Amino acid sequence: MRDILPPESGRWRSFVGTFADLVEPAGYGQVIPPLLEDIGVFSRIGEATEIVQKEMYDFVDKGGRHVALRPEQTASVCRAFTQNRPPTPWKVWYAGPNFRYERPQRGRYRQFDQVGIEVLGADDPYLDVEVIALGWQFFTALGLTKVKLLLNSLGEPDDRARYVAALRGHFEARIDSLSPESRQTLATNPLRVLDSKRAQDAPAIADAPRIADFYGAEAAAHFAAVQDGLRALGIPFVIEPSLVRGLDYYRRTTFEYQGGTLDSAQNALGGGGRYDGLVEDLGGPPTPGIGFAIGLDRTLLACDDEGVFAVAAGELDVFVVDTTGGREALVLADELRAAGLRADRAYENRSMKAQMKAAGRSGAAVAVIVGTDELAAGVAVLRPLRGESREQVSVARGDLAESVKKAIR
Ligand code: HAM
C-alpha cells in the first residue's frame, strides 16, 4: 500500500473532479458507501471468484462480526439500495479506495482507487449505452486516445448456464492440454478459463464454443440494441466473445476499457456490465442493474504513458519575506490569502538571503518583502520572481493585495 504525496495527490483530486463533472450533469448523484461491510455483502460477488476466494481483507471485529474491507463498490451500492429503497432508476456515482490481497506490481496494488457509476431499476439497452458512453467520454476528457472498448454479452442466466455446460465439456475433453492453473479454474468456473493469458491454454481457448451461439431471442435483441446505440453515438467498439470479467454477477452486457500502453495483465483500465440478479441476492426486490468502475491508479499510469493529464504543481502567487521577526509575515500572508491569493512564507526568522532562496524555490510569481525600514514606513516591497524584469517597487500596505494581483497578471 502506498502513500500518495503532493503534487500527485492534486492529480488524484482532479481525476475525481473531472469524473464528477462528467456524470453529475447526466443525473448521477454521489453515494459514499462504508469501507467495511459484513462479509456476506461481498460473498455475492461470486464464491468461485479469486476476489472472494483469495483476495479479501476480512477479519472478525470486536463484536464477533465477520467483516471485510470492500474489494469493490458495486455490491455495497446494491446493499445500500436494498436498505434505503430510493426511487428508481437510481443513478449514482462513487469514488474511493478498495482492497484486494493481490500480488503488487505496476498497475496492481492492494489498495487501489476507483471511480464508477451504477444504475439500479432500469432494464433498457440504451441505458447500457449511456453507461458505456460515459466511461468512454471520461477517458476522452482525460486526453487518452489509445483506449479500446471491448464488448460482449453473457446472455440471460439460462443462456449462460447452457454455455457454461458446453464450455465445461469442451475443456474437459482437452484437460491434458490445459495449464495446471486452468485445470483448477475449470473445476469451479469454466468461464474463467477463457480469461487465462497463459500460452499453454491458448489453443483450447481458441476453438472453445462461442457465447453468441447460445443467446436466446431476448438476449440477442438486447445485445443488438446496445451495439446499435453505440454506433448512434459514434463510439467504436470491438466484440470480444471471451470477455467474461472476474466477477460472477454479470449477465448480458459486459464491457472493458483497455489501455494501449500497460502490460496486458494490467491493461484493463476499467470495466463493467449488467448484474440483474445482484440486488435480489442481497435480499432486495428483483432489480436490474448496470455500471462500471474505472481504476484510478492504472488510468493515471496510462496518462503518464500517453503524456496527458499532467497536473501542474499547485503554484503560488506570492511569497512573503519578513526580516523583522516573522509577525509581519504572519499577518501579511493571512491578508493576501483572504484576498484570494495563493500565499506562503518562510519560518524561523531566517536571513534575508535564505528567505529569498526559499521564495525562489517556492515557484511564486512575486515576493513581498518587509524589513525594519518598510515596517516603519508602512510599506512593503514587491519583487518579481519570474520573467525578465526584477524591478522592485514599494507599495503601501493597504494596496498590497491589489498590487500583487496586478503584478501577477
Ligand atoms: P473490476 O474489473 O474488478 O470491476 O475493477 C475495475 C477496475 O479497477 C479495473 O479495470 C482496474 O483498473 C481497477 N483495479 C482492479 N483491481 C485493481 C488492483 N489490484 N490494483 C489497481 N487497480 C485495480 C469491478 O470492480 C466492478 N465493481 C465494476 C463494475 C461496476 N461492474 C458493474 N459495476
Side-chain angles (χ1 to χ4, degrees), residues 39-54 56 188-189 246-249 281:
I39 186 137
V41 173
F42 303 121
S43 315
R44 304 308 199 291
I45 293 170
E47 294 292 354
T49 63
E50 300 223 319
I51 297 179
V52 171
Q53 282 189 348
K54 298 188 199 149
M56 204 90 90
T188 51
N189 194 346
L247 304 134
D248 274 358
Y249 50 55
D281 278 355

Side-chain angles (χ1 to χ4, degrees), residues 2 51 55 71-75 94 98-100 102 105 107-114 116-118 245-247 249-250 255-257 266-275 290-299:
R2 301 158 303 147
I51 297 179
E55 298 172 357
E72 58 118 47
Q73 296 172 62
T74 308
Y94 51 81
N98 312 281
F99 304 83
R100 296 182 194 174
E102 299 202 73
Q105 53 201 292
R108 191 175 293 276
Y109 310 102
R110 289 181 172 171
Q111 176 175 337
F112 61 96
D113 268 56
Q114 287 179 340
I117 59 176
E118 311 290 349
R245 312 216 353 95
L247 304 134
Y249 50 55
Y250 291 118
F255 54 96
E256 203 159 272
Y257 306 99
Q266 273 74 248
N267 204 13
L269 302 183
R274 278 210 162 265
Y275 45 85
I290 180 162
F292 67 70
I294 290 172
L296 176 152
D297 312 68
R298 222 174 256 187
T299 303

Side-chain angles (χ1 to χ4, degrees), residues 173-189:
R174 290 158 186 77
I175 193 130
D176 294 338
S177 77
L178 294 180
S179 67
E181 293 88 344
S182 286
R183 270 179 239 167
Q184 221 176 6
T185 317
L186 178 59
T188 51
N189 194 346

Side-chain angles (χ1 to χ4, degrees), residues 32-311:
I32 308 179
L35 287 181
L36 196 75
E37 301 248 9
D38 187 278
I39 186 137
V41 173
F42 303 121
S43 315
R44 304 308 199 291
I45 293 170
E47 294 292 354
T49 63
E50 300 223 319
I51 297 179
V52 171
Q53 282 189 348
K54 298 188 199 149
E55 298 172 357
M56 204 90 90
Y57 276 92
D58 62 315
F59 60 95
V60 177
D61 77 2
K62 289 190 168 61
R65 289 170 286 247
H66 192 180
V67 294
L69 290 172
R70 65 182 184 205
E72 58 118 47
Q73 296 172 62
T74 308
S76 301
V77 168
C78 291
R79 193 267 313 135
F81 176 83
T82 303
Q83 281 185 311
N84 296 286
R85 300 292 174 94
T88 56
W90 197 44
K91 296 172 73 171
V92 293
W93 71 274
Y94 51 81
N98 312 281
F99 304 83
R100 296 182 194 174
Y101 195 81
E102 299 202 73
R103 195 165 61 80
Q105 53 201 292
R106 185 174 192 259
R108 191 175 293 276
Y109 310 102
R110 289 181 172 171
Q111 176 175 337
F112 61 96
D113 268 56
Q114 287 179 340
V115 294
I117 59 176
E118 311 290 349
V119 185
L120 293 175
D123 176 16
D124 180 332
Y126 297 130
L127 170 62
D128 302 24
V129 177
E130 172 180 306
V131 167
I132 297 170
L134 283 168
W136 181 259
Q137 286 154 7
F138 179 56
F139 292 113
T140 306
L142 295 175
L144 290 168
T145 59
K146 294 189 178 150
V147 179
K148 244 174 49 184
L149 170 61
L150 307 183
L151 185 69
N152 192 19
S153 169
L154 297 173
E156 298 288 346
D158 283 354
D159 308 338
R160 182 177 159 154
R162 282 186 295 119
Y163 177 57
V164 169
L167 211 52
R168 175 170 280 128
H170 168 84
F171 286 127
E172 275 171 358
R174 290 158 186 77
I175 193 130
D176 294 338
S177 77
L178 294 180
S179 67
E181 293 88 344
S182 286
R183 270 179 239 167
Q184 221 176 6
T185 317
L186 178 59
T188 51
N189 194 346
L191 273 178
R192 293 284 291 159
V193 177
L194 294 176
D195 259 359
S196 162
K197 306 270 190 307
R198 286 173 283 269
Q200 191 183 340
D201 298 322
I205 292 174
D207 65 358
R210 298 273 162 145
I211 179 71
D213 299 327
F214 293 78
Y215 296 150
E218 256 180 80
H222 188 98
F223 195 31
V226 171
Q227 295 174 51
D228 173 60
L230 286 170
R231 282 190 203 104
L233 296 188
I235 295 175
F237 59 90
V238 178
I239 295 189
E240 179 50 75
S242 67
L243 180 72
V244 296
R245 312 216 353 95
L247 304 134
D248 274 358
Y249 50 55
Y250 291 118
R251 297 184 182 176
R252 294 190 280 175
T253 313
T254 57
F255 54 96
E256 203 159 272
Y257 306 99
Q258 241 177 40
T261 60
L262 279 78
D263 280 356
S264 64
Q266 273 74 248
N267 204 13
L269 302 183
R274 278 210 162 265
Y275 45 85
D276 298 341
L278 187 55
V279 169
E280 216 175 336
D281 278 355
L282 285 161
T287 309
I290 180 162
F292 67 70
I294 290 172
L296 176 152
D297 312 68
R298 222 174 256 187
T299 303
L300 284 181
L301 287 175
C303 288
D304 291 341
D305 292 344
E306 286 203 36
V308 298
F309 201 66
V311 171

